[in-house]
Structures are given as C-alpha cells and as structure tokens.
Amino acid sequence: MQRDGSATTCSINYDRPMELISVPAIPDDTFTVGQAVNALGFGKFQVKLLLSTGLCWMADSMEITILSILSSTLRCDWGISKAEQALTIMIVFMSMMLSATFWGILSDRYGRKKSLTICAILLFYYGFLSSFSPSFLWILLLRGLVGFAIGCAPQSVTLFAEFLPTKQKSKCVILLDCFWALGASLEVVLALIVMPSYGWRWLLAISTLPVLIFATITPWLPESATFHVMTGRTDKAFITLERIAKENKKPMLFGRLIIDHPFPVSRGGWKDLFSLEVRRTSASLWVIWFCSAICYYGIVLITTELFNTTAERCGSNGIGRSDCNLDCQLRRSDYIDLLWTTLGEFPGIFFTVIITEKIGRKKTMTWQLIIFAVIVCTLVKACTLSRTALTIGLFLARGLIAGVFQAAYVYTPEVYPIHLRSAGVDACSVMARAGAMISPYIAQVLLQQSMSAAVGVYAAAALCTVLSILILPTDNR
C-alpha cells in the first residue's frame, strides 16, 4: 500500500540478482515530533524551559498589575480625570490586542524564538523608558508601546506546550501560570517597598528586571520542533529533539522524522478558524476569552477602588462621595490587602490543576464561573462590609477567575488541529485583550456612578461564559 491508500503490485525479476542490502530492514521506521516528545518524557529540558518562559509570563503580569497601582498616583500628580485614567489602561490593552495578530504572523513565519527575543528587547526598552515620562501624553505613548510588546507573551506558552509530553501537558501549562501569579505578587511587594520612598518612576524602572533577565537568556531558547517540521526543516527539528534526549538523559529515537499528516500550505490562518469544522468552536472560545478577560482584569482593577468603600474608611456615605475617593498614595494596609487578594491566584491555579483531571475542563470552568458570579454579587454591599470580609471576597473571586483563565489556556490548543493551534490561541488572545479594554471603564468610571451596575456587568459576563462553555466540544478531543 502507498501512503495515499492506492495498491501496488510486487514482482520479482529473475534475470538479475536480488540485492537485499538495498531493502530497508524496517520500511516504516519513522516517527513524528509528537511521538518523540512523548518518548523523551519530561525532564531537565522542560524544567529549564519552564523557568525561562515563566520569566516572560511574569513580566506580562507585572506590567498589567502596575496599572492598578499607579492609577491614583498619576491622577494626583498630573491632575487627570477618572476617564483619562481609564484611557491609559485602555490604550495598553488596545495595543496588546492589535499586536497579537502581528506577533502571531511573525511567529508563524520566523519562529517562536525570534518573536520572543524581539518582544523581550522591546518590552524592556519601552518599559524602562516610560519611567522617564515627562507628561501624561508621554506615559500614554510609552505604555501603549509596552502593550504592543506584551502582545507576544502568549507565544511563550505555545512554545512551552509544544515540548510537553501529552500526559504532563495540562498540568504543566497551568503550573506555568503560577509565574503570572508570582509576577503580580512581586509587583505588589515592590510597590510596598519602593513607592513610599522613591515614587512610581523607580517602580517602573525596577519592574523591568525580569524581562531584562529573560532577554539575556533568549539565545538559549530552543526553536519549536513543530515549527521546523511545518516549514520543511526536519533536520533542524531532529537536532532539537536530540538536545532534549541529551538533557533528559533518554535514548534518541531511531528512524526518520516525518510529518504525521500533511499541513496546508498556509499553515493555518485566521480565515481557517471560520471553516465548517471549527467555526462553532472558535465562536464559543472567543466569547469565553472575551468575557473571562472582562471578569479577571475587572477584579484586578476594581480592588483598589473597593478598598476605599469599606465601612472602616467610608462610614455610611458609600461610593462616589468625595471622602471615599482614592488617596494619592495607597496606604500600607492597602498594599498588604492587595497582596492577599493577589495571592488568591495560587490556590485558584492549584485547585484547577487537581479538579480538571477529575471532572474535566468544561465542568471545572462552569462551576468556577458560577461561584465567581455569586461572590461578585455580594460586592454590591462593599460599603457595609468590613475590610476583612471584602478582602476574603476578592481573594476568592480572583482565585476562581484566574483558574478559569488557566483552564481556558489548556483547553484552547487541545480542540484545534495542529496547524490551527497558533492561529487559534492568537485569536483568543485578541478577544481577551478586547475584553480587557472594557474593564477600566467598568471598574473606574461606571463603578463611581453605580456599584450595582458595575458588579452586574461582571456577574453577567461570567454567566455568559458559562453558556458558551456548554456548547464546546467534549474534553480531551
């Protein structure tokens, strides 16, 4: 049988001697990248790659967390309004959304490694330069460029996932997101130490250190073996697989590296996400990522606002009154409580790792979102809650929505064919950034007008996500 399924005939020419040496001993002695990665297992190579790509994920998280910390300080330093404050954050997310397509195309054409290297250099440069911003317009421009560079961060997850054996993939991808939670927590700790004595400029400068370290180690990063095979460079993919075997101390597979099935010439683009096979899945995932981003970034940005609505600080006046407005400098207690809510992501991630293996991704995300919606609704009474009760509520809400996001990161590549995996994740990332663009106006503008309206948007977004999850394909497709 030939590979296209057609039959061939076998005949012997008795007029010439048979040359047994020219006949391969095992005609089908071949293997694919996926088979090689599974056979070489999880070891030192994956651990080093986890630590390396984790730095990129930390930098992304720190640049997002810093937005909520700087809001009140910049508003008082430059006299900007709430709407302008929200505009600053919106521009960052807008540039992240617009750049996701650019980085996806660059990654598909030139590889994950080159994209991440350029991303790290740009992120460090513009992040450090923004600490010297002389005016509000300059901070808008430079933070927008920071957002453009951050748009490449999801490629680090794609690169890491492509080197993971099937059995460890879901757990390891979710554990990679511990670096996101670590970055957010580190940013709060840095703010607690740096802001009172040195101000926001020093905080911006110091916060670029993780991405600087990542930029220095990008030459070590391996290029995706899957990318090399898809672009016809199986020799380079074979060298990368040999490197994995050496570092993991496993014997390299014998045979010839092949493609397990033919890929389209375009290697998958956004238009392919609308094909009959996957368009329903794509639409559902876009809603999930869009609404989840509204909820996640909303909780991040709303935290500092709600800390000023508690009974201890506002009395019976409620939100929107002048004596409940944010101070120009967050108090030490604010930073500590903000750190507690940020730490909620760690148990949320570990809980997701355990539960997804038992009941699946869809059920895990569904129940997390329902509980999240219930907790968010209780925040309507933030002004009557004690600081402890509010902190616990935000802690639980942030842990739950962080778990949903991480489960979505694992689920999304699983339901797309290999040649659409990168385009599918990039498209979902764009939708997440679009959702994040809306969050600042809900958390900082609408919240000042109506607490119930702002909280209602987050609860509705969570329930809308649940409906989209229910029509997704079965787990582990």
Side-chain angles (χ1 to χ4, degrees), residues 375-398:
I375 293 175
V376 165
C377 288
T378 64
L379 298 179
V380 174
K381 300 296 183 180
C383 236
T384 62
L385 296 175
S386 66
R387 174 60 73 93
T388 301
L390 181 59
T391 301
I392 293 174
L394 291 170
F395 176 92
L396 294 173
R398 185 153 179 176

Side-chain angles (χ1 to χ4, degrees), residues 283-299:
S284 299
L285 286 172
W286 291 350
V287 173
I288 291 170
W289 282 67
F290 179 81
C291 294
S292 296
I294 292 177
C295 295
Y296 175 81
Y297 291 109
I299 289 296

